[in-house]
Amino acid sequence: MDQHDDQHDDQHDDQHDDQHDDQHDDQHDDRSPEPGAERHGERRGGRRTVVITGASDGIGAAAARALAEGGHDVVVVGRSERKTAAVAGPLGVLHFSADFARLDDVRRLAHDLQEAVPRIDVLVNNAGGIFDRRELTPDGHERTWQVNHLAPFLLTHLLLDGLLAEGAAVLTTSSIASHVGRLSPETLVDDRRWSPQRAYADTKLANILFTRGLDRRYGAQGLAAAAFHPGGVATNFASGSTTALGLLYRTRLGRRLMITPEQGAETLVWLAGSSAGSDWRSGGYYEKKKPARAPSRAADDALGDALWRRSAELVGITPGRPAG
């Protein structure tokens, strides 16, 4: 689901890339995989069907190409019908378009996927963006929160029965910006202190909390989940934004410091093509195909539960409960 900078509505497909790739501390987790994760890993071997949102540009498009070349069945999802078709066409794969700023589009996308795709082994929530102005969507939600968190939260839940049946994996593109997210159970969205950077960082933290929440609630049933930081990738992400991040993406020096979309997609491709339990731990956060240090707030289960309940309320679904 390639979302765009709000000043360049038709030009930019924002992927979750970040310029601070070299600041992230890798940290290995030695805990034994849970039984549910092991069952998931066993079921996901071989050729897989991988649905990727935000796949009409950037790391989403690069991952779609790499996975298709690796023999997997890829489904490309993007906001722009034209750009999405341009990626899917040469690969000979299915494609769908949906605007995550409209939850009815997300509901339609889920229905269309259920009708056209017999099984989904991996759902990649890669769509997202950073936006210059505080703006409400037609659904009444702040745009960054809806596009980056509420829409993938809803899409995952609408597809959940099928994902559980297949012992699937849900992968979510986060960012090192999550480390400066300031969510709290008392104030999940503090509009009084809104800024593009704060909203983006908070949603990137929410992506990791959502990943942990999926594992806590459904890991024992065979669902696996992981979040990852792709690194600072030279894509169209934020290139139309007037923020400092946007300036970096527009400068020649800034882009020289970044990695290619193909390099940024490597962790996504690795997670999608490997198995939870044997290759990676469900509920974890990854960078450069290794466990990475997640924000301390990401381990706050009370915050995660509060976010889960509030998100379910906002998109109109019944929240699942953590196991135990």
Side-chain angles (χ1 to χ4, degrees):
M1 184 60 222
D2 56 313
Q3 294 301 332
H4 45 85
D5 188 283
D6 66 359
Q7 290 189 346
H8 296 265
D9 193 56
D10 297 319
Q11 300 176 23
H12 295 297
D13 298 290
D14 298 341
Q15 303 300 324
H16 297 287
D17 307 324
D18 195 278
Q19 73 271 34
H20 302 295
D21 163 63
D22 58 352
Q23 298 177 13
H24 216 61
D25 297 323
D26 288 340
Q27 175 176 297
H28 291 271
D29 193 319
D30 295 325
R31 285 180 290 176
S32 298
E34 297 179 358
E38 291 175 347
R39 290 196 302 272
H40 162 83
E42 292 169 0
R43 295 184 65 185
R44 284 188 58 224
R47 185 171 181 169
R48 295 163 187 173
T49 299
V50 185
V51 175
I52 309 175
T53 70
S56 70
D57 201 357
I59 67 168
R65 296 184 185 103
L67 288 165
E69 289 170 2
H72 299 291
D73 296 319
V74 175
V75 180
V76 176
V77 179
R79 184 186 59 85
S80 164
E81 169 65 25
R82 177 183 59 81
K83 296 181 70 174
T84 305
V87 172
L91 302 178
V93 301
L94 290 174
H95 72 277
F96 300 89
S97 61
D99 184 351
F100 274 21
R102 297 178 177 274
L103 293 182
D104 278 348
D105 269 26
V106 178
R107 296 183 181 99
R108 175 181 52 78
L109 171 63
H111 176 269
D112 291 348
L113 287 171
Q114 289 168 328
E115 290 290 313
V117 183
R119 61 179 287 166
I120 298 174
D121 297 296
V122 185
L123 171 64
V124 182
N125 290 317
N126 176 62
I130 183 170
F131 308 105
D132 281 354
R133 296 188 301 271
R134 182 183 181 279
E135 181 178 310
L136 297 182
T137 68
D139 302 285
H141 310 307
E142 192 278 319
R143 190 179 187 184
T144 316
W145 270 96
Q146 177 162 323
V147 170
N148 292 4
H149 171 65
L150 291 177
F153 181 90
L154 175 60
L155 179 62
T156 303
H157 278 83
L158 293 174
L159 298 174
L160 190 57
D161 287 347
L163 296 173
L164 288 171
E166 299 300 338
V170 178
L171 310 178
T172 301
T173 310
S174 183
S175 168
I176 196 172
S178 61
H179 281 264
V180 295
R182 291 294 179 265
L183 288 179
S184 69
E186 297 77 22
T187 309
L188 289 173
V189 182
D190 187 356
D191 286 340
R192 295 171 300 175
R193 300 177 60 189
W194 190 92
S195 72
Q197 295 88 344
R198 181 185 176 94
Y200 180 73
D202 282 355
T203 58
K204 296 299 95 191
L205 174 56
N207 292 156
I208 302 176
L209 288 165
F210 176 49
T211 295
R212 284 176 52 86
L214 284 170
D215 181 62
R216 290 173 62 217
R217 287 163 175 81
Y218 304 109
Q221 299 178 50
L223 186 74
F228 68 96
H229 169 51
V233 186
T235 69
N236 286 329
F237 174 75
S239 59
S241 173
T242 59
T243 64
L245 182 60
L247 177 62
L248 181 75
Y249 272 80
R250 287 195 300 274
T251 63
R252 182 176 300 177
L253 176 60
R255 293 181 75 85
R256 282 181 178 175
L257 296 174
M258 297 178 185
I259 60 178
T260 66
E262 289 72 24
Q263 291 170 319
E266 287 178 356
T267 299
L268 189 168
V269 173
W270 169 68
L271 288 166
S274 57
S275 298
S278 57
D279 300 307
W280 49 272
R281 182 184 61 82
S282 181
Y285 176 62
Y286 293 84
E287 181 185 2
K288 298 179 181 178
K289 299 191 284 188
K290 296 185 294 184
R293 182 175 61 86
S296 58
R297 284 181 175 83
D300 185 340
D301 289 341
L303 174 58
D305 290 344
L307 175 65
W308 192 284
R309 289 191 299 269
R310 182 59 174 154
S311 301
E313 177 185 348
L314 291 174
V315 301
I317 63 173
T318 302
R321 295 181 179 179

